[in-house]
Amino acid sequence: MGWKAAPRNDAKPNLPEMLMDFLRRMSFTLPTCPCRDIELEERVRIVTQTWPFEDRIRQHIVTGVACAQASFPHLDIDARVAIAIYTSLLTSLDDQNLFNVLGARDFSRMLCDGSICRDEGMLGQLAKVLTDIHRHFPPFGSHMIVAATLRWFGGEMMASPFQPSSFDPHSKGLVDYQRWMSGNGEAYASFIWNGAEFPDETVWMNVLP
């Protein structure tokens, strides 16, 4: 009796259904979707409508607002606006072609020599929001956010084929390091602890590691 192959199933898996089934088996309850934060949207719009590039990154502005609303509802409106603007700009710059065209590899130099103040594009707007960050977050948290942002630029440079610093990784450790830098986790962890509600930085420092 000859061997008979099992019938081939070419049907594509229904990934959303599989994910929902997994969550049900884990007894996970999906959070209810919050209502739109109209005040946040309007405050962000007031800022972004002054940008000459607003229309080109509108989808990223939506992402920034959604991130600030969903992840940091406990913060005051000014801090949430800053986070929304920050996220909008960084997600826009997370495009290797745009990163190269804007000369984003020079961001740290522009910060240090002051030339960033004359930049009316995305890099200049990012510098403005980083300055604004210090109004909403304590000194340690603000330093963490700025430092993580500069590391993010380094991570982007390592991954971009347009940059001389790009590389062909030969170890998992180096890949993980690049992903850690470009993941920008320290900035978003520091966003949790605003200065108004957590003025004593030693209360939350220990949770960062």
Side-chain angles (χ1 to χ4, degrees):
M1 187 175 188
W3 176 80
K4 189 174 183 180
R8 181 176 173 180
N9 184 5
D10 292 325
K12 293 183 178 180
N14 187 326
L15 294 181
E17 185 177 315
M18 291 171 61
L19 178 58
M20 292 302 298
D21 180 63
F22 171 76
L23 293 176
R24 281 192 293 268
R25 286 187 282 112
M26 296 295 293
S27 300
F28 178 79
T29 302
L30 290 173
T32 57
C33 183
C35 298
R36 288 176 57 184
D37 189 333
I38 302 301
E39 182 184 8
L40 176 62
E41 293 179 13
E42 178 60 19
R43 289 282 301 277
V44 169
R45 187 191 66 80
I46 290 172
V47 175
T48 61
Q49 69 181 359
T50 66
W51 296 350
F53 52 85
E54 178 190 24
D55 288 340
R56 284 182 285 151
I57 68 164
R58 189 169 301 280
Q59 61 180 344
H60 300 300
I61 296 172
V62 172
T63 299
V65 170
C67 174
Q69 176 180 336
S71 302
F72 306 98
H74 64 288
L75 300 182
D76 61 80
I77 183 65
D78 291 330
R80 281 182 284 134
V81 169
I83 293 171
I85 297 298
Y86 175 89
T87 303
S88 301
L89 293 167
L90 239 63
T91 52
S92 300
L93 288 167
D94 189 21
D95 176 293
Q96 294 180 355
N97 289 299
L98 183 61
F99 191 93
N100 182 57
V101 168
L102 294 179
R105 63 171 298 168
D106 294 324
F107 182 71
S108 62
R109 176 188 61 76
M110 296 168 71
L111 276 179
C112 292
D113 67 17
S115 60
I116 196 71
C117 297
R118 299 188 295 274
D119 187 290
E120 298 180 356
M122 294 184 197
L123 299 180
Q125 294 301 326
L126 180 60
K128 287 181 181 179
V129 77
L130 286 176
T131 300
D132 193 45
I133 286 295
H134 292 77
R135 293 198 302 112
H136 311 297
F137 298 91
F140 176 78
S142 297
H143 278 291
M144 295 292 285
I145 293 164
V146 173
T149 303
L150 292 175
R151 277 192 293 273
W152 178 88
F153 277 87
E156 291 294 299
M157 290 166 64
M158 290 173 71
S160 172
F162 298 106
Q163 306 299 328
S165 49
S166 65
F167 68 102
D168 182 18
H170 297 288
S171 72
K172 179 180 181 297
L174 196 55
V175 172
D176 290 342
Y177 180 61
Q178 186 273 328
R179 288 177 176 172
W180 171 73
M181 286 198 297
S182 59
N184 203 22
E186 284 183 328
Y188 284 90
S190 299
F191 283 147
I192 298 171
W193 318 96
N194 62 325
E197 296 184 60
F198 304 96
D200 183 359
E201 298 168 307
T202 61
V203 171
W204 53 268
M205 268 185 199
N206 289 317
V207 305
L208 286 177

